[in-house]
């Protein structure tokens, strides 16, 4: 049976929520493996639009086991709000939902530290959501984090809170000029959370291993995107967790030999929220047109997304570090009516031509993209469900993406609704997929763009 990892191939916001929702039909277990409530996965259904911040996007599929893995940092208040919101809309979550006992908790002081640190950076701010994600991961690595399992033991939980507050309150008051926290108030609030969430707490690694042993299909859902990965993203403008495919192993407790396929999700163009390098960003009417037609507003932050041309350098890098076996291309319909389409196939920086994505964020900030231009299409792709029905230019554009990334496209999304999808090759229904022989990209004629 297929065990598939779904990851973002750009800077997040690629449409992973819809893709996971579709693939969940053929999965038995859906596991979110990293990140926190800074994620925003949108799923459009006949019952309306659902936005998930912590819950796996597969939660809408009946009879599926959904799990928050050990690599996720959990704001219990936000999770309960999300569960209550679902219940109010007729989606009941019972025994089919589980939370890892190893998952770390976001505490009130994490949010205070996050906001104060971002404010202190001024013009150097990264653009965090202020939800305490980074500080929670800092405490995890510093070995002073508090986990879901601790929430079930009131005395031990209080000891850890009191110990942490000795240093944290001093830091907030004397370094950041912010108010401190009272242990009693935190413990009372989190005791309420414990009563609500205790029935869901499990050993996630054991649960997933048992499912695999019974031949169940497991779908691993990532948040954010490859270029926000704390190790392989555009550091320091990244998130605080491993958003690459490898995070599925460390964030759930399964070995890499358990993974059968990796699906990288990419938009047909590129977007980014927050600060950081973005070589193909557009500041003209084309960019604002993409933003308007694509409704490019962050589901979590409400911030307008920066928009630009598709960047093959970004995608090729993502295919390599994730070991992608296929791609899902979303929002193809947003390009309808654009007369000419540019794809970045290289970068120029101080006289040097880059054919692979440089590690140095300063180079990415200063470089100029080298573009290949393809003709756009005048026909409508919105709602198309058969590949043959796409305009010839759209098919040419998709084939060029495959060639430039040396990775086949398995899914094409032509709209926000579930049914607006072209399924070329469902990775969930394969057994031990092997990668097709890489296609060697041609060296295209290129022109330097601003």
């Amino acid at each position: 049976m297929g065990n598939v990892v779904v990851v973002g191939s750009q800077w997040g916001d690629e449409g992973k929520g819809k893709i996971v929702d579709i693939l969940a039909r053929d999965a038995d277990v859906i596991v979110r493996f990293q990140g926190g409530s800074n994620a925003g996965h949108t799923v459009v259904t006949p019952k309306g639009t659902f936005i998930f911040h912590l819950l796996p996007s597969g939660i809408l599929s009946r009879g599926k086991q959904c799990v928050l893995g050990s690599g996720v940092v959990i704001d219990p208040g936000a999770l309960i709000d999300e569960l209550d919101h679902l219940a109010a809309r007729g989606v009941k979550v019972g025994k089919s939902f589980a939370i890892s006992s190893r998952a770390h908790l976001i505490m009130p002081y994490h949010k205070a530290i996050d906001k104060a640190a971002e404010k202190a950076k001024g013009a150097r701010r990264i653009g965090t959501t202020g939800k305490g994600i980074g500080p929670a991961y800092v405490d995890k690595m510093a070995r002073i984090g508090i986990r879901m399992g601790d929430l079930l033991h009131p005395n031990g939980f209080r000891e850890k809170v009191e110990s942490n507050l000795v240093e944290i309150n001093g830091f907030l008051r004397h370094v950041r000029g912010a108010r401190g926290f009272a242990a009693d108030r935190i413990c009372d609030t989190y005791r309420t959370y414990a009563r609500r969430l205790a029935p869901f707490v499990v050993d996630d690694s054991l649960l997933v291993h048992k499912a695999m042993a019974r031949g169940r299909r497991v779908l691993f859902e990532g948040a954010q995107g490859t270029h926000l990965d704390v190790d392989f993203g555009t550091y320091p403008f990244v998130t605080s967790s491993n958003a690459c495919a490898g995070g599925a192993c460390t964030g759930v407790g399964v070995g890499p030999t358990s993974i059968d396929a990796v699906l990288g999700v990419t938009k047909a163009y590129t977007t980014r929220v927050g600060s950081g390098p973005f070589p193909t960003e557009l500041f003209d009417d084309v960019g604002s047109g993409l933003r308007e037609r694509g409704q490019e507003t962050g589901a979590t932050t409400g911030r307008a997304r920066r928009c630009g041309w598709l960047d093959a350098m970004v995608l090729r890098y993502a295919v390599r570090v994730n070991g992608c076996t296929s791609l899902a291309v979303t929002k193809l319909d947003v390009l309808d009516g654009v007369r000419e389409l540019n794809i970045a196939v290289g970068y120029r920086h101080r006289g040097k031509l880059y054919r692979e994505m440089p590690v140095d964020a300063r180079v990415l900030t200063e470089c100029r993209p080298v573009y290949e231009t393809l003709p756009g299409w005048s026909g409508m792709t919105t709602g198309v469900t058969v590949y043959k029905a796409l305009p010839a230019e759209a098919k040419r554009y998709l084939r060029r993406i495959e060639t430039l990334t040396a990775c086949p496209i398995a899914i094409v999304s032509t709209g926000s609704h579930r049914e607006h999808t072209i399924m070329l090759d469902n990775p969930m229904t394969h057994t031990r997929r092997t990668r097709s022989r890489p296609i060697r990209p041609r060296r295209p004629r290129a022109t330097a763009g601003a």
Side-chain angles (χ1 to χ4, degrees):
M1 297 295 183
N3 299 320
V4 179
V5 180
V6 175
V7 293
S9 298
Q10 297 165 311
W11 282 282
D13 308 308
E14 301 95 346
K16 296 182 295 296
K18 173 184 174 178
I19 300 302
V20 170
D21 174 63
I22 291 170
L23 296 180
R25 302 171 189 175
D26 296 305
D28 300 296
V29 182
I30 301 96
V31 190
R32 167 85 179 273
F33 62 82
Q34 49 79 220
S37 55
N38 55 340
H41 293 175
T42 303
V43 178
V44 180
T45 76
K47 294 184 178 180
T49 299
F50 293 81
I51 298 176
F52 300 109
H53 300 286
L54 275 167
L55 293 172
S57 301
I59 200 79
L60 297 177
S61 297
R62 292 183 179 180
K64 311 296 182 180
Q65 177 78 62
C66 289
V67 184
L68 290 179
S70 55
V72 179
V73 287
I74 297 173
D75 179 338
L79 176 57
I80 290 171
D81 286 345
E82 202 165 326
L83 289 169
D84 288 344
H85 181 68
L86 273 184
R89 298 186 64 179
V91 180
K92 296 182 179 180
V93 176
K95 295 181 180 179
S96 60
F97 178 57
I99 308 169
S100 171
S101 62
R102 300 181 182 89
H104 281 247
L105 293 171
I106 293 177
M107 308 297 291
Y109 49 78
H110 290 141
K111 297 178 184 179
I113 292 171
D114 197 358
K115 293 174 183 176
E118 189 75 348
K119 182 179 179 181
K121 289 186 178 77
R124 298 181 295 107
R125 62 184 180 274
I126 294 173
T128 72
T129 59
K131 294 183 179 293
I133 308 300
Y137 277 114
V138 168
D139 279 7
K140 177 178 180 176
M141 294 305 171
R143 292 166 292 182
I144 59 170
I146 301 176
R147 307 200 291 185
M148 281 298 304
D150 297 320
L151 198 59
L152 308 185
H153 304 284
N155 293 335
F157 180 83
R158 172 175 282 276
E159 288 178 7
K160 291 190 175 185
V161 170
E162 290 177 343
S163 177
N164 286 354
L165 286 181
V166 172
E167 181 177 344
I168 287 168
N169 278 343
F171 173 78
L172 285 171
R173 289 166 180 159
H174 302 302
V175 178
R176 296 303 186 193
R179 296 176 60 182
F181 290 86
D184 286 343
R185 192 167 185 174
I186 290 176
C187 290
D188 287 346
T189 300
Y190 277 65
R191 191 178 300 115
T192 302
Y193 295 156
R195 287 195 291 268
R196 179 72 182 275
L197 298 177
F200 303 116
V201 179
V202 302
D203 181 340
D204 58 324
S205 176
L206 183 60
L207 184 154
V208 173
H209 271 273
K210 285 184 175 180
M212 289 178 173
R214 294 195 301 270
R216 301 289 188 253
R217 294 172 177 164
V218 181
L219 179 59
F220 299 88
E221 176 183 6
Q224 290 86 40
T226 300
H227 297 278
L228 291 178
D229 184 278
V230 68
D231 289 312
F232 295 99
T234 48
Y235 191 89
F237 301 98
V238 294
T239 191
S240 302
S241 58
N242 288 115
C244 286
C249 296
T250 57
V252 181
V254 300
T257 53
S258 299
I259 306 301
D260 297 313
V262 178
L263 179 68
V265 185
T266 174
K267 281 177 181 167
Y269 49 99
T270 309
T271 66
R272 178 167 196 165
V273 171
S275 305
F278 186 176
T280 65
E281 185 172 8
L282 292 168
F283 302 95
D284 56 11
D285 291 343
V286 176
S288 59
L290 292 175
R291 186 178 301 110
E292 182 179 352
R293 292 193 303 277
Q295 300 180 16
E296 296 296 353
T297 302
T300 297
T301 64
R303 291 178 291 183
R305 297 182 185 127
R306 301 154 64 189
C307 297
W309 296 119
L310 187 72
D311 193 330
M313 301 278 280
V314 163
L315 293 184
R316 193 157 59 239
Y317 178 89
V319 168
R320 171 162 58 88
V321 299
N322 289 300
C324 292
T325 51
S326 60
L327 295 173
V329 178
T330 63
K331 293 200 170 184
L332 182 70
D333 55 302
V334 176
L335 297 181
D336 290 354
V338 181
R339 293 183 60 185
E340 289 186 336
L341 302 171
N342 288 327
I343 301 178
V345 294
Y347 303 139
R348 289 194 184 277
H349 182 259
R350 297 182 182 180
K352 181 178 179 180
L353 176 63
Y354 288 82
R355 289 293 184 183
E356 294 294 339
M357 192 170 178
V359 175
D360 194 335
R362 290 170 297 182
V363 173
L364 279 174
T365 301
E366 299 171 0
C367 74
R368 299 179 66 193
V370 178
Y371 285 125
E372 175 183 345
T373 302
L374 280 74
W377 52 91
S378 58
M380 297 290 290
T381 65
T382 302
V384 172
T385 58
V386 179
Y387 182 77
K388 290 182 179 180
L390 290 173
E393 295 83 1
K395 288 185 280 190
R396 178 180 175 184
Y397 186 72
L398 294 172
R399 288 196 299 268
R400 193 66 184 133
I401 294 172
E402 288 186 313
T403 300
L404 289 168
T405 60
C407 191
I409 294 173
I411 302 171
V412 179
S413 174
T414 58
S416 58
H417 295 271
R418 285 171 171 170
E419 60 270 20
H420 295 169
T421 307
I422 301 171
M423 184 67 72
L424 298 170
D425 188 8
N426 187 341
M428 291 302 305
T429 59
H430 279 70
T431 304
R432 280 291 168 194
R433 285 196 57 162
T434 56
R435 293 188 63 179
S436 58
R437 185 176 180 180
I439 303 169
R440 184 179 296 277
R442 297 195 311 269
R443 291 288 178 117
R445 293 181 180 180
T447 55

